[in-house]
Amino acid sequence: VLFLQIVHILNMTSAKIVSFLLHPEESLHSLQNRIEFETGISTGNQELLLETGICLDPRKPASQCVIDGVRGWDSYMVYLFDKSKTVYDGPFASRSLSDCVNYIVQDSKIQLPIPQLRKVWAEAVHYVIGLKEDYSRLFQGQRAAMLSLLRYNANLIKMKNNMVSASQQLKAKLEFFHQSIRLDLERYSDQMAYGISSEKMLKAWKEMEEKASQCAQAEDIGYLDEQIMALHTEIVELQKSPYARRQGEVMESLEQRAIDLYKQLKTRPPDHAYSDSTDMVKIIVQTVQSQDRVLKELFGHLSKLLGCKQKIIDLLPEIEVALNNIKEADNSVMQMQGKRQREIWHLLKIACTQSSSRSLVSSSLEGTASTPAATWLPQSSSGNTAPHPLSSLAAPEDGENFADVIRENVNYLELFSSILQEVRQEQSSMMVS
């Protein structure tokens, strides 16, 4: 018996406790099926919270419900909520009276012998204490719901900060991109008359600018920020509400009065005297009325907590979508920036290649023009005597210089042709890209 594990589930929708004997290594899903059978709440709509507001982990066994502590495992409670409901309005009936207590409540002036009255009043005191404990458990359930709401809110704040940070980064990148592409378009227009031009590339750059303007829509998260701020304000108001604090002072004082009455009756000698139960019945009625009032306030506040929590649950997917849109827009801007920079460097390469080809051609032409004609033309005699008939032919050294010049020019021509062909290929590839 000492090694048995009992879990007590407080159904917050009905204010009733159901207890289960846990089987060895029983899964949480198995326990939820048993809870569904007892309470009618489907496993998909069950939310099981510990006192700390932590939801039970479905990957762990059901024994996680039982926590060893100072109070002992038998007094530990798990709180059951129905996720399909956000309004808990009762009616929540007080615990039923025993027959003997109901007897004096029906007629408080009836006279009973002191020994019998002691037994009846002892049950009456137990009933008053039970009403106060019922409220205390339900208040702990409300507190668990508040702690769970704060955990959701902490997650919401974290996601909001990530969203705001990503939005600011996207905004900065878009501003840089717009300034860069405007400057590139201006400089490109200035050099079109004497430099390199590509209508297809110019059109692609303008399309990039328009696409970047469309990406700016992703950074607009004002509507989400307003909803989050409204939720924060609502949560703060719920935390400040007096109903967020324990309201059982009246019930505690009534409990103490009932105990004092019983002690006074207990000191009376068990003679043949009789007495009525007017004072004790008055305390019972006041305790029931006080419990009705505080439970109405408690469940009204609980409904606001659950409604606020549901708003956060509905808002989290919207923030996820906004974050994904911002990331996609950010990637798109970075890709466009990289593509434009590659195209600029491609233009620079073509310009450098053309400049190099022009310098090669001009240097080859200058070298040809500066070659002395005497090196390959026949030289005349400086004397008055008639030249030798063979003197008009070129010497062997002159013939070799002439052949070298021809080979050099042929090499320059082939190099120039290959450079022009490479430039045409690069221009055509740039037009295709």
Side-chain angles (χ1 to χ4, degrees):
V1 174
L2 293 176
F3 289 100
L4 293 179
Q5 288 186 321
I6 309 294
V7 58
H8 305 289
I9 308 291
L10 177 56
N11 185 359
M12 295 296 292
T13 63
S14 63
K16 294 181 179 180
I17 299 175
V18 288
S19 300
F20 300 95
L21 172 63
L22 296 181
H23 305 302
E25 302 300 326
E26 182 177 6
S27 65
L28 183 63
H29 181 69
S30 173
L31 176 61
Q32 286 183 305
N33 288 332
R34 297 163 65 188
I35 293 173
E36 180 181 359
F37 179 78
E38 292 290 336
T39 63
I41 302 175
S42 64
T43 56
N45 290 327
Q46 291 177 19
E47 184 177 25
L48 297 169
L49 298 181
L50 300 176
E51 287 186 358
T52 55
I54 298 176
C55 187
L56 296 183
D57 191 344
R59 297 168 297 181
K60 297 181 180 179
S63 57
Q64 64 183 300
C65 301
V66 181
I67 299 178
D68 294 329
V70 178
R71 295 175 302 170
W73 58 267
D74 195 44
S75 63
Y76 203 83
M77 196 72 62
V78 176
Y79 303 95
L80 171 64
F81 295 86
D82 188 350
K83 291 190 286 188
S84 64
K85 296 175 62 177
T86 56
V87 178
Y88 289 12
D89 51 4
F92 300 103
S94 300
R95 59 169 58 194
S96 59
L97 294 166
S98 64
D99 293 337
C100 58
V101 176
N102 186 51
Y103 180 72
I104 63 172
V105 170
Q106 295 296 328
D107 186 4
S108 62
K109 296 185 180 297
I110 189 170
Q111 299 288 323
L112 294 175
I114 297 300
Q116 185 178 358
L117 201 60
R118 286 178 183 173
K119 296 179 181 179
V120 176
W121 280 23
E123 292 191 26
V125 171
H126 176 73
Y127 178 77
V128 172
I129 295 174
L131 291 177
K132 187 208 68 173
E133 290 179 349
D134 290 344
Y135 167 75
S136 298
R137 294 192 189 97
L138 291 171
F139 176 76
Q140 280 300 129
Q142 176 193 275
R143 184 171 178 80
M146 170 62 82
L147 294 174
S148 177
L149 171 63
L150 294 179
R151 291 178 183 275
Y152 272 86
N153 187 48
N155 189 28
L156 177 67
I157 293 174
K158 182 179 179 180
M159 293 186 65
K160 178 208 169 186
N161 292 338
N162 292 338
M163 179 181 67
V164 171
S165 177
S167 175
Q168 291 175 347
Q169 292 180 17
L170 175 61
K171 184 178 180 180
K173 290 179 180 179
L174 284 172
E175 290 177 357
F176 176 79
F177 181 83
H178 281 299
Q179 292 177 2
S180 300
I181 199 168
R182 290 192 192 108
L183 181 62
D184 291 342
L185 288 172
E186 290 175 4
R187 295 293 181 266
Y188 180 81
S189 301
D190 294 341
Q191 64 87 43
M192 282 181 63
Y194 58 85
I196 302 171
S197 63
S198 172
E199 291 296 329
K200 188 172 182 180
M201 189 188 70
L202 182 63
K203 182 181 178 182
W205 283 11
K206 291 182 178 179
E207 289 176 354
M208 287 182 187
E209 190 174 18
E210 295 177 359
K211 189 175 180 181
S213 300
Q214 295 175 358
C215 291
Q217 298 176 0
E219 71 176 76
D220 184 15
I221 56 173
Y223 68 102
L224 287 175
D225 194 39
E226 291 177 0
Q227 295 182 51
I228 294 171
M229 291 304 297
L231 274 174
H232 289 339
T233 303
E234 188 175 351
I235 291 171
V236 171
E237 292 298 325
L238 289 173
Q239 287 180 288
K240 292 181 178 179
S241 173
Y243 305 128
R245 294 180 290 276
R246 187 179 178 85
Q247 301 292 317
E249 294 83 0
V250 175
M251 300 178 68
E252 290 174 357
S253 64
L254 290 171
E255 175 192 17
Q256 189 59 46
R257 282 174 57 189
I259 293 173
D260 293 340
L261 273 178
Y262 177 74
K263 287 180 178 180
Q264 293 174 10
L265 179 64
K266 195 174 180 181
T267 58
R268 292 179 62 175
D271 52 13
H272 299 288
Y274 285 75
S275 179
D276 60 24
S277 305
T278 304
D279 294 336
M280 183 61 74
V281 170
K282 189 180 296 184
I283 292 175
I284 293 173
V285 173
Q286 289 177 355
T287 305
V288 172
Q289 291 175 348
S290 178
Q291 190 199 47
D292 289 341
R293 178 182 59 81
V294 295
L295 285 183
K296 183 178 180 180
E297 296 169 350
L298 183 148
F299 282 100
H301 188 70
L302 178 62
S303 298
K304 292 179 182 179
L305 291 176
L306 297 176
C308 190
K309 182 178 177 179
Q310 187 60 45
K311 291 179 184 177
I312 295 178
I313 293 173
D314 295 337
L315 195 58
L316 290 177
E318 296 185 33
I319 298 177
E320 284 282 358
V321 171
L323 268 173
N324 291 333
N325 292 338
I326 291 173
K327 290 179 180 178
E328 290 177 1
D330 187 279
N331 293 333
S332 179
V333 171
M334 295 305 295
Q335 290 175 2
M336 289 189 296
Q337 179 74 9
K339 184 175 184 295
R340 201 178 80 256
Q341 287 183 310
R342 287 192 296 271
E343 290 173 347
I344 291 173
W345 281 99
H346 194 66
L347 290 175
L348 181 61
K349 181 180 179 181
I350 294 174
C352 292
T353 304
Q354 289 183 351
S355 176
S356 176
S357 63
R358 291 193 189 100
S359 63
L360 286 173
V361 172
S362 62
S363 63
S364 64
L365 292 176
E366 289 174 0
T368 304
S370 62
T371 303
T375 59
W376 53 280
L377 292 175
Q379 297 185 4
S380 60
S381 174
S382 59
N384 294 328
T385 59
H388 191 276
L390 298 177
S391 62
S392 60
L393 299 175
E397 292 81 3
D398 296 337
E400 291 176 0
N401 292 336
F402 180 72
D404 292 338
V405 170
I406 293 176
R407 282 195 298 272
E408 183 180 1
N409 283 310
V410 169
N411 291 334
Y412 280 137
L413 181 60
E414 291 177 352
L415 177 62
F416 180 64
S417 300
S418 64
I419 291 173
L420 288 179
Q421 185 177 2
E422 182 181 354
V423 170
R424 291 193 190 97
Q425 290 177 353
E426 290 180 348
Q427 285 181 337
S428 62
S429 64
M430 182 187 69
M431 296 292 287
V432 171
S433 62

